[in-house]
Amino acid sequence: PLEDHQLSKGAAGKGFDVNNYIDGQNNEYVYVVFNPLNMSTKIGITTNVKDRLAKINTQSGIKNELLLLLELEPDRDERAALIEDALHGFFYNKRTIGEWFNLSIKDIIQIRDIFWFIEGSDIDDNIKKVYEKYKSTILTGINRKSTKSIQCLH
């Protein structure tokens, strides 16, 4: 089981207010979004967090949860596209479709740790809040997958 300290780091637990991210500053963002309906995770980039999250929700027909957000300043930080490409490549075998992945909570914590390495505590982390909200669904999904794996072995 995951320890509480594994779920919390940096700005954890403060929650997200997408209105805090102002369009027009030329900043780029790498985001990680969780879809609670199919338990998939999207890794993407944007320059407008509020609009992008609204589009993802509209396209998927469900309110998705913003798990992680890394803000990058031009001429100071790595380009968002480079980080996104690296994460897509790293999790290639877990890709379901497009930018959506079947990631475990430990995979998401790995991404958070990469973000932490890039920006330190200046990341927004909603992992603990979302995990607590959907813990029973996540654990049920894991148990279903384990049961299916065991059935395949017989």
Side-chain angles (χ1 to χ4, degrees):
L2 290 169
E3 301 291 326
D4 192 49
H5 70 275
Q6 291 175 293
L7 295 173
S8 299
K9 193 169 196 171
K14 73 176 186 181
F16 285 108
D17 181 359
V18 294
N19 294 311
N20 290 337
Y21 303 97
I22 303 165
D23 188 27
Q25 291 184 328
N26 296 323
N27 289 351
E28 298 178 318
Y29 302 89
V30 183
Y31 61 83
V32 179
V33 171
F34 175 71
N35 180 317
L37 184 63
N38 61 19
M39 295 178 44
S40 61
T41 307
K42 180 174 176 46
I43 302 169
I45 61 174
T46 188
T47 56
N48 188 314
V49 177
K50 184 177 181 179
D51 286 353
R52 186 65 189 125
L53 190 57
K55 286 178 185 172
I56 292 169
N57 290 341
T58 299
Q59 291 169 346
S60 60
I62 187 170
K63 183 183 181 306
N64 293 272
E65 298 280 357
L66 188 56
L67 289 175
L68 291 167
L69 189 66
L70 173 65
E71 183 175 8
L72 302 166
E73 296 176 28
D75 303 324
R76 195 193 111 193
D77 295 316
E78 293 290 332
R79 298 289 307 199
L82 293 175
I83 297 168
E84 178 193 39
D85 288 346
L87 291 171
H88 285 186
F90 187 78
F91 293 112
Y92 176 77
N93 63 334
K94 296 185 176 201
R95 184 184 307 260
T96 56
I97 189 168
E99 294 182 335
W100 290 92
F101 298 83
N102 184 17
L103 300 180
S104 69
I105 188 70
K106 289 183 180 183
D107 294 330
I108 294 165
I109 290 170
Q110 276 187 304
I111 295 170
R112 191 261 324 273
D113 291 344
I114 291 167
F115 285 8
W116 179 272
F117 179 76
I118 294 168
E119 281 295 311
S121 62
D122 193 26
I123 63 171
D124 285 318
D125 176 350
N126 212 22
I127 295 172
K128 183 176 181 179
K129 179 181 170 196
V130 174
Y131 181 77
E132 291 298 324
K133 184 175 180 180
Y134 296 104
K135 184 165 45 176
S136 64
T137 304
I138 292 168
L139 295 176
T140 301
I142 290 170
N143 290 337
R144 255 190 311 228
K145 289 176 189 173
S146 299
T147 303
K148 286 180 184 176
S149 299
I150 291 168
Q151 289 172 347
C152 291
L153 295 174
H154 291 303

